[in-house]
Amino acid sequence: MKRIRVALVSESFYPVSDAPAVRLTSFARSMLKNSRFSLRVITSNRSNKGFENIKIEKNFFPPSNNKQANPIRALSELFYGFENLIRLFIGNHDIVIITSPPFLSLIVVSFYLTSFKRGKYIVDVRDYYPAVYFEAGVISATSFLGKTLLRIEKRIYDNALFVSAATQGLTDEISKKTKNRVKLVRNGYDSFLFKTSKKKSNRFNVVFHGNLSKFQDVEGLIRLAETLEEQDPEIRMIVIGAGSKDYLFKDVNVSNLDYLGKMDYRDVAATISKSSLGISLRKEGIIGKTAFPVKIYEYLGVGIPTICAPKCEAGDFLEKNKVGFQFDTEDINGIAKKIIELKRDQGSYNDLITNILKIRDQFSREFIGENLVNSIVKEIEE
């Protein structure tokens, strides 16, 4: 039986703890379990720790980051994309898995693969570009550039082997733009790291972890900490992460708020497993409405309830399964009231924990990754 040679292109990879790394690492692990796959990874990582048995090619050009000015970020994505093009030209592969974002890099690589017939590709969509550009006010959707990007986006989807999307909302939106297959492949949590813990903090800790970018309601996190300090100072808020808005924590003087900055992924898992409640606050808009942040799966993995805002696909999931709650973004007082209620009502809190333990296993990345691998095999054999 012929082996399937896969090139996985990801701006980051294990042991990095950001969104592309944790998602693509789970795909890699699932492929390595299947003898039909051979795998090479092209990434900006400077370490192959944990994956010494596969070929990991380290990019010379670093990926863009959200602290860069828009023109610099665009150039970074293009340079990164062209380097990946060269690496794919040199190597051998049957299928390339490429992610969006970075969207401009995706354009470069997908155009090369399609134009020169250098293998099939799968597009894995985590964030909805170019819609993100439009919502952020970087580009107008009705401008010549905006319309051009929308046409390119459709072309990328149409020419893919199939498209995978991280949320149902993304799946639905992309399906409106292409007749190609769009598969829901949820993010899930890493069951090797995110485990339930009997060792909890003596205080009721509310934890946030993730990218502190302009799409996260960082100001809301600070207002929530201030509100809790006034209403129940025994509740402690922990914020883990870095990004373009992390500077807001430098001058904050709130006694119950601990900003821990960027941490190793393993330390993130250990910290949130000892906490009582997870939180995810994002800005209003289509990006927030269609989001299902990875952190929510990871809170589920360690067995703690979640509160999220704004009301969205993730919030509907939490309430449907009775494992958390959702609020409007501006309802900081309502969020604080619910946190205090859960701290004081042990019975209600324990009911949420019981519900989490009933469903958590089906959202592990290992379970989800195996389904993706089966989908690839099925598509190849058709």
Side-chain angles (χ1 to χ4, degrees):
M1 190 176 294
K2 184 181 177 182
R3 300 196 80 188
I4 303 171
R5 299 170 299 176
V6 176
L8 193 157
V9 181
S10 176
E11 54 192 323
S12 55
F13 196 69
Y14 185 88
V16 176
S17 61
D18 61 15
V22 298
R23 182 168 172 83
L24 273 296
T25 298
S26 70
F27 294 175
R29 282 190 174 131
S30 297
M31 288 177 201
L32 290 174
K33 290 180 182 178
N34 190 313
S35 60
R36 289 201 60 183
F37 287 87
S38 64
L39 181 66
R40 62 190 277 235
V41 176
I42 303 173
T43 182
S44 62
N45 276 36
R46 296 301 173 218
S47 168
N48 65 343
K49 185 176 181 181
F51 285 87
E52 293 85 356
N53 58 333
I54 66 172
K55 184 178 182 181
I56 295 183
E57 301 176 25
K58 298 166 187 177
N59 289 106
F60 175 78
F61 289 106
S64 62
N65 66 73
N66 56 29
K67 289 186 177 182
Q68 293 173 322
N70 289 328
I72 301 300
R73 185 170 184 178
L75 284 173
S76 294
E77 288 195 17
L78 289 171
F79 278 121
Y80 178 72
F82 279 110
E83 182 186 348
N84 288 330
L85 182 158
I86 293 168
R87 290 183 180 277
L88 291 170
F89 175 78
I90 295 170
N92 295 312
H93 52 264
D94 301 306
I95 294 175
V96 179
I97 299 178
I98 43 181
T99 67
S100 178
F103 184 66
L104 299 183
S105 301
L106 168 64
I107 291 174
V108 172
V109 173
S110 63
F111 180 82
Y112 161 70
L113 293 171
T114 302
S115 300
F116 294 92
K117 301 186 184 304
R118 285 286 294 164
K120 300 176 181 179
Y121 66 88
I122 297 166
V123 183
D124 182 57
V125 182
R126 301 188 322 276
D127 291 318
Y128 194 30
Y129 282 80
V132 172
Y133 297 144
F134 307 150
E135 186 164 322
V138 176
I139 302 169
S140 169
T142 57
S143 67
F144 174 77
L145 180 57
K147 290 177 180 178
T148 301
L149 289 176
L150 288 170
R151 287 194 293 270
I152 292 172
E153 178 196 15
K154 183 180 186 308
R155 181 180 183 275
I156 290 170
Y157 299 151
D158 288 345
N159 290 324
L161 179 64
F162 65 84
V163 181
S164 60
T167 71
Q168 186 63 57
L170 282 172
T171 302
D172 294 342
E173 289 297 322
I174 295 169
S175 295
K176 296 174 185 176
K177 296 191 173 186
T178 181
K179 293 182 180 179
N180 203 347
R181 293 170 293 278
V182 185
K183 301 176 184 291
L184 173 61
V185 181
R186 294 188 180 276
N187 279 312
Y189 65 91
D190 186 338
S191 61
F192 293 99
L193 292 177
F194 292 88
K195 303 176 182 179
T196 57
S197 174
K198 293 181 180 179
K199 295 180 180 179
K200 296 290 184 181
S201 169
N202 292 329
R203 296 179 67 176
F204 192 93
N205 289 345
V206 179
V207 64
F208 170 96
H209 90 86
N211 188 13
L212 298 170
S213 69
K214 56 187 168 185
F215 293 110
Q216 309 295 329
D217 189 8
V218 179
E219 297 87 349
L221 287 171
I222 294 171
R223 291 200 307 275
L224 178 59
E226 292 170 341
T227 304
L228 289 171
E229 183 185 37
E230 292 175 3
Q231 299 182 12
D232 191 335
E234 292 181 357
I235 296 174
R236 176 188 180 211
M237 273 199 67
I238 299 172
V239 176
I240 304 167
S244 60
K245 296 176 75 173
D246 56 17
Y247 69 92
L248 292 173
F249 291 99
K250 291 179 181 177
D251 298 321
V252 170
N253 185 22
V254 183
S255 62
N256 65 331
L257 173 62
D258 290 339
Y259 174 58
L260 304 183
K262 192 171 184 178
M263 297 173 64
D264 182 88
Y265 201 35
R266 288 157 290 197
D267 295 330
V268 171
T271 301
I272 70 171
S273 71
K274 296 181 177 67
S275 299
S276 306
L277 183 71
I279 194 158
S280 174
L281 301 185
R282 295 174 68 97
K283 295 287 190 181
E284 292 281 355
I286 187 172
I287 307 304
K289 295 285 186 184
T290 59
F292 202 127
V294 174
K295 64 179 70 66
I296 293 179
Y297 291 112
E298 292 168 346
Y299 299 150
L300 192 71
V302 300
I304 61 174
T306 301
I307 289 177
C308 78
K311 292 181 178 178
C312 59
E313 177 182 333
D316 293 342
F317 168 86
L318 293 172
E319 293 187 338
K320 178 182 177 181
N321 290 283
K322 298 181 180 179
V323 295
F325 305 91
Q326 63 176 332
F327 290 84
D328 293 323
T329 299
E330 66 273 9
D331 192 10
I332 296 298
N333 286 329
I335 295 172
K337 182 179 178 182
K338 177 57 69 174
I339 292 171
I340 294 168
E341 176 187 311
L342 291 173
K343 172 180 175 279
R344 297 176 181 177
D345 186 350
Q346 194 65 44
S348 296
Y349 181 81
N350 287 340
D351 287 343
L352 293 170
I353 301 298
T354 299
N355 294 335
I356 290 168
L357 296 178
K358 289 178 182 177
I359 67 168
R360 64 183 291 275
D361 289 348
Q362 62 187 288
F363 296 102
S364 74
R365 290 200 188 106
E366 291 66 44
F367 181 86
I368 293 167
E370 287 173 10
N371 288 337
L372 174 67
V373 167
N374 292 336
S375 293
I376 295 173
V377 172
K378 183 178 178 181
E379 293 287 347
I380 290 291
E381 292 179 343
E382 281 186 355

